[in-house]
Every structure is written in C-alpha cells, then in structure tokens.
Amino acid sequence: MRDWTHHYARLNGIDAHWVEQGSGPLVLLLHGFPHTWFSWRHQITALAGAGYRVVAPDLRGMGQTSAPEAVEEYGADRITADLCALLDHLGAESAVCSGLDFGMFAAYDLAFEHPERVRALIGLQNPFQNTSDRPPLEAERRRGRKRFNHVAYFVDEPEAAIADMDAHPREMLAKIFHALSGAADFTLMWRNPPGTSYRAALPEPPALPWSWMTEWELECYVNDYARSGFGGGIRWYLALDRNWELRRGRGKTGVPFYFLGSEADVDLAHWHGRDPVEKLPEYHADVRGVRIVPAAGHVISMESPDVVNAAFLEFLRDLDQGRAA
C-alpha cells in the first residue's frame, strides 16, 4: 500500500481522483456501485508487481471524484469523455480496460466509441451490454410492481433512497457487500413486497471481520460515502434509459476480449439472459479467453483476489505475447 499514489486533477469539467501504481503497459480498472477505487486494492499491487502500470479511478459520482446533481451528467457520453480525458492526462494512447457493473459498461462504451484507446477488454462478471428492444427501466419497474426490486426502488423513489442510504452508510455498505458475496443469496430480497426500502430488504450480514473484509477495509468505504453520499451512484441508475438510447444499434466490440466470471454470481445468472457465456461471440468479435470459476460471488475481486489476479495476469500475458488463448 505504501506504493499506491493518489492523484487529483480537473478532468472533463469535474474534480477526478485516482490511484496509481507500477510502470509498464497501462491497465485501467473501473469500479461499480457502491464501490470506489478501493475495490481493486488486491489487483493494483499484484498487477503492478507483474510489470504493469495500474490506474484505478473513482468514477464520477463516487469516492473522491465530483458528484454532479444533474442526471444527464451520468450519460455514457460523459463517462466516456471522462475516461478519454484521464488517458490524455496520463499521457497514454490506450489501456487494457476492465471493470465491474457500471465500470464494465463504461469500459465497453469506451471500446465502442474509441476503440483506438482500448488495447483489450477483460470482462468481469458482466459479459456484455445487453441492449434489449425496450428501455431497461421499463422491465425493472415491471418487476418492481410484483416484488421488491432495488433498481425500481432507486428510480421510483430516488430522493427517499438517497436520504435513507446517506443516513446509514455503514449499515448499507456492509449489507450490500455481504448480499453480493458468495456467502449470501441476493435473490432473497425479492421475497419482500413493493414499497420496501433497500435497507430493510437486505439481509443482516454477519459481524466483521469476514474472510475477505476487515473493519478497516469497510471503514475506507464508509469514510468516502459518508462524505460523498450515495446520490451519484443512484444517478447512474436514473440514466439507464438515456444510456440505452445512446447504445442502441451497436454491433460487436472489435478489440481483444477476455472474460472472467464466477458460477455463484447473481448478476451473471439473472441479468444477462440465458447462457450469457455462450453468447459472448455474438457481442465480441475477438474473444481470446474465457474462465468461469466456482469461487466467490459477485464481488470476486475482493472475495477471491488470488483467482482474479491469476486470471488477469494470464489474460495480460496472452495479449502481450500476441497469441490467442
């Protein structure tokens, strides 16, 4: 950790923060919600030690990066511009990009809009951008009329959601991280009726420390979200339909593509249709390597860092050697 360097700069009209370590080919790691750069703590040091320059930014709205209030500020075009500005600031023509949830979708956006800036993609749990025929919030609201749905809750009651989460950052973060892990069943929340708050729907987590999270590590997230609030992350959800419009009509990514998923991931199981791994060639023209592992749940980068680090290094070495896996 003493080799991590924190950076701050004004990029694309916002105050941006990122952490960097190492030198060599650039790897850009993009987090989801409610995460920060810190969710890549195990990968930063491992990849840097293997000869890579690793950069993990706080995406807009989260961590120590600015959180604009207007929903349109969370459009895919704005996020892509953020990443291009970051690469320019770093003096980098391109990077290998990976991410989780919103971060992975941002990496896909960059690969579609500026393929010259992306050496390769490493998909993590989220295999592709699933642009259905209907706006995504329509489907989430339909689910939310039958049972609790966290996306429907965010978009139907954003101010209530923000207020409740902002008032209980430690409770929310502990509950969400546990619910997404392999030790819990995220789908149990669906047993709750519509109108339930996210905080009430989430199961109670066991006391810390867990096998993959200490009190100190949770406190790093609590400190950032107690300061920034959860509004920025929720606005990424509010922008889903707008981004669906921006992404319509896309074909396949053309850059080298690798994928790592876990058998116990709720996202891979429920949000990408049937047999999503089998469909990878329908969304990516140059699939180089695929690994599906039994270890961990959705937050695999923290739960099973050795598995993730080994897979990422395998993919990176394959890319650098210029051969197919």
Side-chain angles (χ1 to χ4, degrees):
M1 285 181 279
R2 62 179 178 272
D3 295 323
W4 291 343
T5 303
H6 291 258
H7 297 272
Y8 302 85
R10 187 77 177 173
L11 302 176
N12 194 35
I14 61 172
D15 294 321
H17 165 252
W18 67 95
V19 169
E20 181 175 352
Q21 185 179 358
S23 60
L26 180 61
V27 178
L28 195 62
L29 301 176
L30 308 174
H31 65 82
F33 174 73
H35 297 261
T36 67
W37 71 271
F38 191 63
S39 290
W40 299 107
R41 57 193 176 277
H42 303 294
Q43 287 68 52
I44 295 170
T45 298
L47 300 185
Y52 294 91
R53 181 188 185 189
V54 187
V55 171
D58 281 336
L59 297 180
R60 69 163 56 206
M62 292 174 273
Q64 298 179 51
T65 291
S66 297
E69 293 190 2
V71 172
E72 56 266 26
E73 289 295 313
Y74 297 86
D77 52 345
R78 301 296 294 162
I79 309 302
T80 300
D82 289 348
L83 298 180
C84 287
L86 175 58
L87 290 173
D88 290 343
H89 186 86
L90 295 171
E93 293 183 2
S94 64
V96 174
C97 298
S98 187
L100 184 70
D101 295 332
F102 288 134
M104 194 68 244
F105 299 137
Y108 291 145
D109 287 329
L110 185 63
F112 276 113
E113 299 300 326
H114 299 279
E116 74 282 359
R117 309 303 304 256
V118 180
R119 284 187 64 221
L121 290 164
I122 301 178
L124 182 64
Q125 307 288 38
N126 304 98
F128 44 73
Q129 291 177 340
N130 193 351
T131 51
S132 63
D133 294 335
R134 296 182 178 180
L137 294 184
E138 178 181 325
E140 299 297 343
R141 285 190 167 108
R142 185 169 62 251
R143 295 186 187 106
R145 287 195 292 270
K146 299 177 181 178
R147 53 172 170 74
F148 174 80
N149 176 281
H150 72 288
V151 180
Y153 170 66
F154 287 157
V155 299
D156 287 340
E157 302 181 62
E159 296 307 317
I162 292 169
D164 189 49
M165 294 175 75
D166 284 355
H168 306 90
R170 174 176 289 276
E171 179 183 357
M172 287 304 308
L173 289 162
K175 283 184 170 182
I176 293 172
F177 285 141
H178 170 67
L180 289 172
S181 75
D185 182 355
F186 189 84
T187 66
L188 291 178
M189 289 195 302
W190 299 345
R191 298 178 180 179
N192 290 278
T196 306
S197 72
Y198 195 22
R199 185 163 62 92
L202 285 161
E204 287 295 328
L208 288 162
W210 308 332
S211 63
W212 55 275
M213 179 83 77
T214 67
E215 288 274 6
W216 173 82
E217 288 171 321
L218 180 64
E219 190 63 27
C220 290
Y221 292 102
V222 174
N223 283 343
D224 274 343
Y225 276 96
R227 178 175 56 250
S228 70
F230 291 83
I234 289 176
R235 291 181 188 100
W236 283 69
Y237 287 94
L238 298 178
L240 282 173
D241 279 359
R242 183 179 187 276
N243 290 336
W244 173 80
E245 291 283 357
L246 291 172
R247 292 165 178 157
R248 293 183 72 185
R250 286 178 172 173
K252 301 179 182 182
T253 65
V255 304
F257 178 78
Y258 301 86
F259 183 71
L260 173 64
S262 61
E263 293 176 355
D265 177 30
V266 64
D267 200 311
L268 193 58
H270 294 282
W271 270 279
H272 296 283
R274 293 182 179 179
D275 302 319
V277 176
E278 299 300 319
K279 295 177 182 176
L280 286 175
E282 299 178 18
Y283 293 87
H284 306 287
D286 188 7
V287 178
R288 300 280 186 95
V290 178
R291 301 289 181 271
I292 304 298
V293 298
H298 188 60
V299 286
I300 188 173
S301 66
M302 295 187 283
E303 295 176 84
S304 297
D306 291 344
V307 171
V308 174
N309 296 345
F312 274 33
L313 287 172
E314 178 185 340
F315 295 155
L316 290 166
R317 287 165 182 154
D318 176 82
L319 177 69
D320 292 339
Q321 291 168 2
R323 59 175 176 80

